[in-house]
Amino acid sequence: PGPGSELRRWPASSCVVTGASRGFGRSLVRLLAPRLGRGSLLLLLARSAAQLAELAAELRGTDSGLRVEFVAADLACEQGLRQATAALREVLPAGPPGRLLLINNAGSLGDISKTFLDLTDPDEINSYFAFNITSALCLTSSTLQAFGKQPGSSRTVVNISSLCALKPFKSWALYCSGKAARDMMFQVLALEEPDVRVLNYAPGPLDTDMQLLARTKTGDEAMRQVFQNLHESGQLIDCSVSAQKLMKLLEEDTFSSGAHVDFYSI
């Protein structure tokens, strides 16, 4: 639905979105904000302070009764992650207690010009996994702790996944293994915390900066061609179209907790 179409407003909620400053995260936030009932809290996390400030100002400019906070932090480094978790612990207990939604969207491709055999530097590999796995785990556990277990409240955690969590791609050893690890990590959360709704959502091949990298930097020539063909044949998905499908999934709330749901299967 476009602007002006009727949206079912959610009850007052506390929402956290990582990687919120651009691409899919930014599209998600713009779709999510109008759905949040008055008094809701929206906490945005990303590296770029300028882009976050601009997005927060845009959302605050609407008469939605929405409290918008943002934290500019580099989740790839320990100091940035500690800054983000400290903000969660401070802001969430003061937010509405009825509903929690956390969307783990922040992620990176890694150096896709390299093959498996080129990946010999432990610092590069550890830094990749620190951002793509460690930060998602720490932020999720900190968010759930800060929000707490409250009678009658609902808690939903979304991991932005990928086909790469299930299928290997040449030159993408870091990205595929990071996405696979995250899917499994969130399946464990679903098992341990049955009253938390957990979703691994694969948004499809999005028309973003990441796809530009995929079709220009992927080391394996055949893989690079696949991404170029997707772009040239107009098969890349607009971020807002995929974000709309995720919103629909969350509103219907019929997925099995821990499930991997792909854009094309909806």
Side-chain angles (χ1 to χ4, degrees):
S5 62
E6 290 213 15
L7 280 180
R8 226 177 39 240
R9 293 286 283 264
W10 297 357
S13 310
S14 295
C15 298
V16 181
V17 182
T18 72
S21 63
R22 57 196 183 117
F24 188 62
R26 197 178 183 94
S27 290
L28 262 178
V29 167
R30 283 183 166 144
L31 278 175
L32 182 60
R35 287 174 161 79
L36 300 175
R38 296 191 81 79
S40 289
L41 164 70
L42 183 55
L43 179 61
L44 311 174
L45 295 170
R47 272 177 301 191
S48 165
Q51 286 175 310
L52 282 176
E54 182 192 317
L55 181 58
E58 174 193 315
L59 299 174
R60 288 173 187 148
T62 61
D63 179 30
S64 59
L66 183 62
R67 179 183 165 201
V68 184
E69 304 282 346
F70 67 88
V71 180
D74 183 357
L75 300 177
C77 70
E78 201 171 316
Q79 183 190 352
L81 183 53
R82 289 193 190 286
Q83 184 191 345
T85 52
L88 288 166
R89 292 199 172 102
E90 183 188 329
V91 172
L92 279 177
R99 177 174 189 157
L100 171 70
L101 173 63
L102 166 62
I103 300 179
N104 287 288
N105 169 64
S108 64
L109 271 180
D111 188 345
I112 51 173
S113 69
K114 293 180 174 177
T115 65
F116 188 108
L117 298 187
D118 296 326
L119 294 166
T120 54
D121 178 7
D123 287 342
E124 177 187 3
I125 297 161
N126 289 338
S127 154
Y128 181 83
F129 289 131
F131 177 39
N132 289 279
I133 299 172
T134 308
S135 78
L137 176 52
C138 291
L139 278 174
T140 303
S141 54
S142 298
T143 298
L144 289 169
Q145 279 184 17
F147 186 79
K149 268 192 182 182
Q150 299 165 43
S153 69
S154 71
R155 299 178 293 163
T156 303
V157 173
V158 179
N159 167 43
I160 300 305
S161 184
S162 168
L163 174 61
C164 297
L166 310 178
K167 187 179 174 192
F169 286 82
K170 287 181 180 176
S171 297
W172 286 36
L174 289 179
Y175 189 76
C176 289
S177 50
K179 287 295 186 188
R182 269 170 66 146
D183 262 38
M184 182 52 75
M185 187 167 86
F186 286 105
Q187 286 179 55
V188 172
L189 172 63
L191 211 53
E192 286 184 358
E193 300 289 338
D195 59 341
V196 175
R197 302 282 287 136
V198 182
L199 173 65
N200 291 303
Y201 175 66
L206 300 172
D207 194 4
T208 59
D209 294 346
M210 214 182 244
Q211 270 295 327
L212 175 62
L213 286 174
R215 63 181 178 268
T216 54
K217 303 289 184 197
T218 297
D220 182 76
E221 194 179 337
M223 274 302 303
R224 197 165 63 243
Q225 193 58 54
V226 167
F227 293 119
Q228 283 171 0
N229 293 346
L230 279 176
H231 175 63
E232 285 161 15
S233 61
Q235 288 181 70
L236 293 180
I237 299 161
D238 185 88
C239 286
S240 60
V241 171
S242 187
Q244 194 75 255
K245 278 204 178 179
L246 175 55
M247 288 296 114
K248 187 168 178 279
L249 273 173
L250 293 174
E251 280 171 353
E252 290 173 353
D253 199 29
T254 53
F255 56 86
S256 300
S257 193
H260 176 104
V261 180
D262 191 275
F263 172 87
Y264 291 112
S265 69
I266 304 162

